[in-house]
Amino acid sequence: LQGVGTGIVLDLEGHILTNNHVIASAERIIVTLSTDASYTAEVVGVDDRTDTAVIRIEAEGLQPAMLGVSAELEVGEDVIAIGHALGLRGGPTVSKGVVSALGRSLDSDAQTTIVDLIQTDASINPGNSGGPLVNSRAQVVGINTAIIVESRGIGFAINIDDAKLVAAQLIEQGFVDRGFLGITPFNLTPAVISQLDLSLPEGVVDGILVRRVVTGFPAAEEGLQEGDVIVQLGDEPIANTGEMSKFLLLHPPGGAITVSYFRGPDRITVELTLGENPLK
């Protein structure tokens, strides 16, 4: 079995940024450069919460990509997607479009939401994953990541600002060091509220449903229970697991934060010190 994806050369040391789903479970990873030279790559680190991975090759004469600032993007701005669409022979495919929207969220499963995505109508197909979305100055502003299969012209890219933060940690230590609450989180939805018959105040329709509390970790020590709904961490409202993951990326283990949650109709706020994730 074979698969194909795309990557972005980050530096002269051979680090390449791509999607986690491109290389997940791969027994062998072969990187082919624009020169047609091929190299076997090693995995440096992966982060499934942001669908990001860094691999590395030993090669001379690499040309690192220019990374832009996705925070400066504007809706309607021209962008170009580059990648090995459908694995077609003869080099990468280039497609042009615009930034259709910013700040999109996409659920990869009930426990994982990727946030702050760039939506584009530049044609993205299987094989484009992990490739660059670039602006008119040839700066990488996103990593092409997902499409909505039943749609026409709706693709998504991880914004490069977040990807740079994750990639830096993967290169430095092989994993992303987020603070750990000690819970199993699920995205709260109106369907979940109805199914579990949760007695939440009117207007509370999103947040983090606590499906399990791990004994011996901060959430359990501060009294959180299964069925509680977390709606705020620190000063930031939290609507889904992606927002929680991004918050914890910026708040490493050992930091003190406040957690606001609903237990039925009652809102409770506690302070806790974030722990280390035992599974990192």
Side-chain angles (χ1 to χ4, degrees), residues 155-192:
F156 299 95
I158 299 168
N159 77 77
I160 199 63
D161 294 349
D162 288 351
K164 284 188 284 190
L165 289 175
V166 172
Q169 288 205 32
L170 293 179
I171 291 171
E172 180 179 351
Q173 57 197 18
F175 60 89
V176 176
D177 199 16
R178 293 180 177 86
F180 186 60
L181 292 172
I183 64 169
T184 299
F186 268 69
N187 288 324
L188 186 72
T189 64
V192 170

Side-chain angles (χ1 to χ4, degrees), residues 130-268:
L133 185 73
V134 303
N135 61 19
S136 58
R137 297 179 296 281
Q139 298 169 329
V140 179
V141 292
I143 306 169
N144 301 320
T145 296
I147 56 175
I148 296 179
V149 176
E150 61 270 21
S151 72
R152 292 188 179 182
I154 298 182
F156 299 95
I158 299 168
N159 77 77
I160 199 63
D161 294 349
D162 288 351
K164 284 188 284 190
L165 289 175
V166 172
Q169 288 205 32
L170 293 179
I171 291 171
E172 180 179 351
Q173 57 197 18
F175 60 89
V176 176
D177 199 16
R178 293 180 177 86
F180 186 60
L181 292 172
I183 64 169
T184 299
F186 268 69
N187 288 324
L188 186 72
T189 64
V192 170
I193 293 172
S194 176
Q195 182 180 0
L196 299 180
D197 195 23
L198 299 175
S199 302
L200 296 169
E202 185 177 353
V204 178
V205 294
D206 51 28
I208 302 296
L209 175 66
V210 178
R211 295 297 289 157
R212 177 172 172 258
V213 179
V214 184
T215 303
F217 285 91
E221 293 173 352
E222 294 302 325
L224 272 77
Q225 301 176 7
E226 180 180 328
D228 291 342
V229 175
I230 297 172
V231 293
Q232 186 169 322
L233 296 175
D235 297 326
E236 297 184 25
I238 301 296
N240 53 53
T241 58
E243 292 182 0
M244 181 180 74
S245 180
K246 189 170 182 176
F247 178 90
L248 295 175
L249 176 64
L250 301 175
H251 294 79
I257 64 166
T258 56
V259 179
S260 293
Y261 62 93
F262 281 99
R263 179 171 296 162
D266 301 322
R267 181 164 179 149
I268 303 169

Side-chain angles (χ1 to χ4, degrees), residues 75-142:
V75 174
E77 184 174 339
D78 287 340
V79 286
I80 294 172
I82 306 172
H84 294 275
L86 304 176
L88 297 173
R89 296 180 181 275
T93 296
V94 175
S95 57
K96 184 178 180 180
V98 299
V99 175
S100 304
L102 296 167
R104 293 295 200 209
S105 298
L106 200 62
D107 294 337
S108 53
D109 57 47
Q111 291 180 274
T112 309
T113 300
I114 305 177
V115 296
D116 291 336
L117 293 168
I118 302 164
Q119 181 183 327
T120 179
D121 65 350
S123 180
I124 295 176
N125 294 280
N128 278 105
S129 291
L133 185 73
V134 303
N135 61 19
S136 58
R137 297 179 296 281
Q139 298 169 329
V140 179
V141 292

Side-chain angles (χ1 to χ4, degrees), residues 22-70:
V22 169
I23 57 103
S25 303
E27 294 182 2
R28 187 181 182 201
I29 303 169
I30 300 172
V31 172
T32 303
L33 302 178
S34 59
T35 60
D36 287 333
S38 294
Y39 302 85
T40 298
E42 63 176 358
V43 177
V44 175
V46 303
D47 184 51
D48 57 356
R49 298 189 195 180
T50 56
D51 194 16
T52 306
V54 174
I55 60 177
R56 184 175 180 273
I57 60 173
E58 292 278 357
E60 300 292 333
L62 294 172
Q63 178 63 55
M66 295 186 295
L67 303 185
V69 180
S70 53

